[in-house]
Amino acid sequence: MRQVVLIAGGVGGAKFARGLRSALAEERASLTVVVNTGDDMWLTGVRVCPDLDSMMYALAGVNDTARGWGRAGESERVGAELKAYGVGWPWFTLGDLDLGTHLARTTLLREGLTLSEATAQLCLRWEGLRSGPRLLPATDDEAETWVETAEGTMHFEEWWVRTRASAAARRFVQRGVEQAAPAAGVVEAITEADLVILAPSNPVVSLGTVLGFPGAAGHPGVPGIAGIRQAVQQTRAPVVGISSIIGGAAVHGMAAQCLAALGQSCTAENVGLSFGARSRGGVLDTWLVDTEDASALTALEAGGLTARAVPLWMHDDGASRRLAEQALLSAHAAAEPRGHRPSAS
Ligand code: GDP
Ligand code: CA
């Protein structure tokens, strides 16, 4: 049975994950999704894991597709009460259904389960997740992303949700990442995979916090979780990445501001070259850019990558599935001429 590992952030990663699950449905394939935990935080006494929740809700089919995040059919009575008491963040919405998830997770953590064990238990609630895909947090340790800005240092979610990324970011700091180990099962999944895919997720604060992303000269990058980066560099599986940058701009969100903080330009070409080819110490074999960015292919190939231009817009589940099929095809192309590659350390 083919084993596929997807490394992803929240909403963008989840859109792709739905397409990938659909593209893999006809073959007997197992899908493991390794999800960024840098956005996680303690808020009003509960552990909130935004990217894990976006992924779980989308794969369970209960996400709010109109708003783009959270649960469908959400209400905010508890959140309004918390605001009235003056606790939590007034600008951060915690829906009632969503709070149910956070309370359940926090209960399990308090009972002594690890985050990966708690995540597995939460997923059992959902019909669409009971027999896979398997969701794994990148780490069971707390390694939150904080942002150094002109207005002071704040949690990533405050920077994003309260300031809408308007406070110029100087640096992203993954607090405690040096001590953070890959969550149980992550290294094994990557090592035993037949294919590893990097979702079209934010390259710095979703993928970089897992795999590392370099800063340009004079700018600190993000280190990622060392054991996961190493596992991706050493797996025999081909590694295919998909750009979240199209035509020099992030499709949605604040990737441009994140890249700017690292002194990096917001292009599909630069992001692919910055992740880098595994043959040159990076984490990628193949990089998919949008047809609009086809002019980047030559430079990407010169950087040691196999590069292809395909439609990257995920307007709906059908488009996500077609993109996932392209990623699966690219993996065959990457694997065939070289066979199983030696570890690229
Ligand atoms: P977050 O954690 O919720 O911010 O989600 P991710 O990090 O997984 O995904 C955010 C990224 O998804 C953004 O950088 C967007 O550019 C990218 N994205 C969103 N929609 C699309 C799409 O249709 N196509 C591509 N290629 N990227 C997308
Ligand atoms: Ca996120």
Side-chain angles (χ1 to χ4, degrees):
M1 175 164 53
R2 178 148 74 150
Q3 301 185 46
V4 179
V5 172
L6 177 69
I7 301 176
V11 172
K15 270 200 255 178
F16 182 78
R18 285 175 59 88
L20 182 59
R21 174 174 61 183
S22 166
L24 289 170
E26 277 109 61
E27 63 172 289
R28 271 165 40 84
S30 78
L31 174 59
T32 300
V33 188
V34 176
V35 182
N36 169 50
T37 47
D39 301 7
D40 297 7
M41 61 191 165
W42 287 100
L43 190 65
T44 62
V46 292
R47 189 70 176 158
V48 181
C49 300
D51 288 1
L52 277 168
D53 291 341
S54 295
M55 189 61 73
M56 181 172 76
Y57 296 155
L59 288 172
V62 295
N63 56 315
D64 186 331
T65 49
R67 191 169 54 165
W69 52 274
R71 289 281 301 273
E74 188 60 287
S75 53
E76 285 157 26
R77 295 191 69 199
V78 179
E81 207 58 18
L82 292 169
K83 277 173 202 169
Y85 281 117
V87 302
W89 285 338
W91 36 264
F92 195 86
T93 307
L94 285 171
D96 298 335
L97 299 173
D98 200 29
L99 270 164
T101 304
H102 308 322
L103 282 167
R105 173 189 297 117
T106 306
T107 303
L108 297 170
L109 294 174
R110 292 275 185 240
E111 285 171 359
L113 271 66
T114 61
L115 180 60
S116 48
E117 290 166 343
T119 302
Q121 187 150 338
L122 295 182
C123 287
L124 288 178
R125 180 200 191 295
W126 302 108
E127 182 75 46
L129 279 162
R130 244 165 250 154
S131 53
R134 180 168 62 139
L135 261 57
L136 289 177
T139 176
D140 284 327
D141 301 314
E142 293 181 13
E144 299 176 359
T145 305
W146 286 65
V147 194
E148 291 177 9
T149 80
E151 293 177 21
T153 300
M154 59 190 85
H155 189 279
F156 168 74
E157 288 289 335
E158 178 174 1
W159 177 71
W160 171 230
V161 180
R162 182 178 65 76
T163 86
R164 306 310 298 177
S166 68
R170 295 178 182 145
R171 178 178 186 179
F172 295 95
V173 180
Q174 293 180 263
R175 291 192 176 169
V177 74
E178 298 79 9
Q179 290 80 44
V186 170
V187 167
E188 293 79 353
I190 294 168
T191 303
E192 289 160 18
D194 299 297
L195 169 62
V196 175
I197 303 178
L198 312 194
S201 289
N202 186 302
V204 179
V205 294
S206 290
L207 295 177
T209 45
V210 180
L211 295 169
F213 197 86
H219 296 266
V222 287
I225 296 161
I228 303 184
R229 180 175 175 87
Q230 196 179 35
V232 169
Q233 288 181 317
Q234 295 183 349
T235 183
R236 292 175 308 163
V239 183
V240 177
I242 300 147
S243 179
S244 65
I245 310 297
I246 300 179
V251 177
H252 294 294
M254 62 320 197
Q257 293 93 320
C258 296
L259 287 162
L262 274 65
Q264 296 279 20
S265 62
C266 183
T267 65
E269 175 183 321
N270 180 51
V271 171
L273 292 172
S274 297
F275 277 124
R278 289 203 296 170
S279 57
R280 302 185 189 180
V283 294
L284 285 174
D285 299 321
T286 300
W287 186 236
L288 301 187
V289 302
D290 189 69
T291 43
E292 189 181 325
D293 293 312
S295 61
L297 295 183
T298 311
L300 289 164
E301 299 267 355
L305 294 162
T306 301
R308 291 184 54 222
V310 299
L312 293 194
W313 282 95
M314 300 181 289
H315 293 296
D316 52 31
D317 278 346
S320 298
R321 179 181 167 139
R322 287 189 291 280
L323 176 54
E325 286 166 349
Q326 287 298 331
L328 297 173
L329 278 175
S330 303
H332 290 307
E336 271 159 20
R338 285 172 243 174
H340 275 322
R341 49 171 43 237
S343 68
S345 49

